[in-house]
Amino acid sequence: DIQMTQSPSSLSASVGDRVTITCRASQTISTYVNWYQQKPGKAPKLLIYATSSLQTGVPARFSGSGSRTDFTLTISSLQPEDFATYYCQQSSSTPYTFGQGTKLEIK
Amino acid sequence: EVQLLESGGGLVQPGGSLRLSCAASGFTFSSYAMSWVRQAPGKGLEWVSTISGGGGDTYDADSVKGRFTISRDNAKKTLSLQVNSLRADDTAVYYCARRGNSWYSFDYWGQGTLVTVSS
């Protein structure tokens, strides 16, 4: 199985900050990485697919990059509605696996 | 507008069974693989099962293999998950999710249905 190691597990930041979350795969997965945002009591929402493609309707302050085993999600200027938990996920092969999550909190 | 609406969750005793359902609308259901993803209370996301658009191929996590069965009825636009031999660690919110066709992301999710396994 492909393990996805996400860091940090939690992060405190302020509105307007630039934030980066990283995800490392246990083996090369090309660009089959996706990123999700989840708010308390809600279903996850797809932000980025195929490493760097922005899902329709997602603000351009979200971006993704990486390849092979190392991937990042960047939020260029945090907005109040961005405080949530973020998950990476590999879709290269089953079992599809998620990172442990990064809880982004207000400083 | 894509909509996925789960139902069927509830409280069940260890060893018991449930059938979860997901009603889909707003897209050509048979053209997409569908999945179940679960989340234990306070924990992260765990992929459970995926079924191809035609229903002929299924994939399951090792943790549920032999106990859970994913199926679909394309005429009724409904996805199902039969969950048997339930254990306490199966307690979770179960989400129905559409798998995108190109890069296999989960591009749309339902609101989830809670399964609680307890005596």
Side-chain angles (χ1 to χ4, degrees):
Chain A
D1 297 2
I2 300 172
Q3 309 303 317
M4 301 296 284
T5 303
Q6 189 174 338
S7 61
S9 57
S10 65
L11 178 58
S12 292
S14 302
V15 172
D17 283 354
R18 180 183 181 90
V19 165
T20 297
I21 299 169
T22 64
C23 201
R24 174 163 287 177
S26 60
Q27 62 190 75
T28 185
I29 54 172
S30 183
T31 55
Y32 283 86
V33 164
N34 313 297
W35 292 92
Y36 302 87
Q37 176 194 67
Q38 187 179 33
K39 296 182 178 179
K42 299 294 187 182
K45 172 188 172 183
L46 177 65
L47 299 176
I48 302 279
Y49 63 95
T51 297
S52 59
S53 295
L54 202 62
Q55 175 70 344
T56 302
V58 174
R61 62 180 180 273
F62 291 92
S63 64
S65 64
S67 66
R68 296 177 60 82
T69 61
D70 294 301
F71 303 89
T72 60
L73 171 71
T74 299
I75 310 172
S76 60
S77 178
L78 275 173
Q79 298 302 300
E81 60 269 28
D82 298 338
F83 292 93
T85 300
Y86 294 84
Y87 295 92
C88 62
Q89 176 241 339
Q90 66 82 16
S91 52
S92 174
S93 62
T94 60
Y96 300 131
T97 45
F98 292 86
Q100 308 95 308
T102 295
K103 187 172 184 180
L104 180 53
E105 299 175 306
I106 301 174
K107 185 183 287 185
Chain B
E1 179 192 6
V2 172
Q3 292 193 346
L4 300 169
L5 185 62
E6 300 96 333
S7 60
L11 175 63
V12 61
Q13 292 188 338
S17 299
L18 280 175
R19 188 173 185 84
L20 309 183
S21 295
C22 173
S25 62
F27 65 102
T28 305
F29 184 65
S30 60
S31 294
Y32 290 86
M34 297 294 295
S35 298
W36 290 95
V37 177
R38 69 183 179 182
Q39 186 170 38
K43 303 298 184 181
L45 299 168
E46 179 188 16
W47 169 78
V48 173
S49 296
T50 293
I51 186 168
S52 61
D57 296 305
T58 62
Y59 311 88
D60 301 307
D62 285 347
S63 58
V64 306
K65 214 163 275 187
R67 301 188 300 123
F68 291 12
T69 302
I70 190 171
S71 61
R72 66 191 296 160
D73 184 331
N74 284 343
K76 295 182 178 179
K77 299 183 182 181
T78 301
L79 175 72
S80 298
L81 186 69
Q82 178 67 40
V83 296
N84 298 331
S85 304
L86 282 162
R87 311 185 301 224
D89 63 357
D90 293 318
T91 294
V93 174
Y94 285 72
Y95 294 104
C96 161
R98 190 180 84 167
R99 195 189 75 173
N101 282 336
S102 298
W103 293 92
Y104 298 169
S105 61
F106 301 122
D107 58 1
Y108 290 93
W109 298 65
Q111 87 291 346
T113 187
L114 176 62
V115 173
T116 302
V117 183
S118 175
S119 55

